[in-house]
Amino acid sequence: MMQHKNKQAQAGFYMLESLLAIMIFFTACLTLIPIQHQLMIEKKLIREEDKATYFLSNKMHEAILGNSNQGTEIFRNVISSPLTLTITYSDTLIEGCVTWDNVKQQKAKKCQYAIPQ
């Protein structure tokens, strides 16, 4: 009779241990998955910003060399959303700006400046 109670207590202990392990596993998953998702969004955001800045840098180089016109132009094949390039000339400065809707659906803008030759 004592052995029968001991087996039942052991079975209950194993059940409790399994439930605790499952609870720890799901708690870890429910904590780490949103963090991983946020990291992926931020990585895309940085990658998008790098591509837009690199594109602007190339266009500013063209503007310095005189191969670019003043005004606004939209480019659709640089990043996932349309990229609006605006180049403005003045006597002492060339201003180039790109604007776009980023991964978080917020307006993003980067500008660079150069001295005309």
Side-chain angles (χ1 to χ4, degrees):
M1 185 80 168
M2 187 62 115
Q3 241 181 354
H4 184 65
K5 280 188 176 184
N6 196 15
K7 283 185 180 182
Q8 283 180 341
Q10 244 181 351
F13 177 73
Y14 290 142
M15 176 81 111
L16 185 63
E17 186 179 22
S18 298
L19 287 174
L20 187 62
I22 290 170
M23 186 178 77
I24 290 171
F25 173 76
F26 281 118
T27 301
C29 285
L30 293 175
T31 302
L32 295 176
I33 288 173
I35 293 171
Q36 178 67 25
H37 179 70
Q38 188 64 33
L39 286 173
M40 287 173 46
I41 289 174
E42 293 297 327
K43 189 176 179 179
K44 285 180 185 177
L45 195 72
I46 290 170
R47 193 175 298 135
E48 231 179 37
E49 188 175 314
D50 284 347
K51 285 181 182 179
T53 303
Y54 181 73
F55 175 77
L56 176 60
S57 180
N58 287 337
K59 291 298 182 180
M60 285 297 288
H61 186 68
E62 290 175 15
I64 291 169
L65 295 176
N67 299 338
S68 184
N69 295 329
Q70 180 169 321
T72 301
E73 199 172 342
I74 296 174
F75 296 88
R76 299 192 186 283
N77 57 354
V78 180
I79 57 175
S80 60
S81 66
L83 195 66
T84 305
L85 171 69
T86 305
I87 295 180
T88 309
Y89 291 90
S90 70
D91 293 336
T92 58
L93 199 63
I94 301 171
E95 177 187 33
C97 293
V98 287
T99 56
W100 71 97
D101 290 331
N102 64 20
V103 176
K104 294 181 176 181
Q105 301 303 316
Q106 298 171 338
K107 287 281 185 195
K109 183 176 183 177
K110 285 288 180 182
C111 292
Q112 293 180 358
Y113 303 90
I115 299 173
Q117 293 182 346

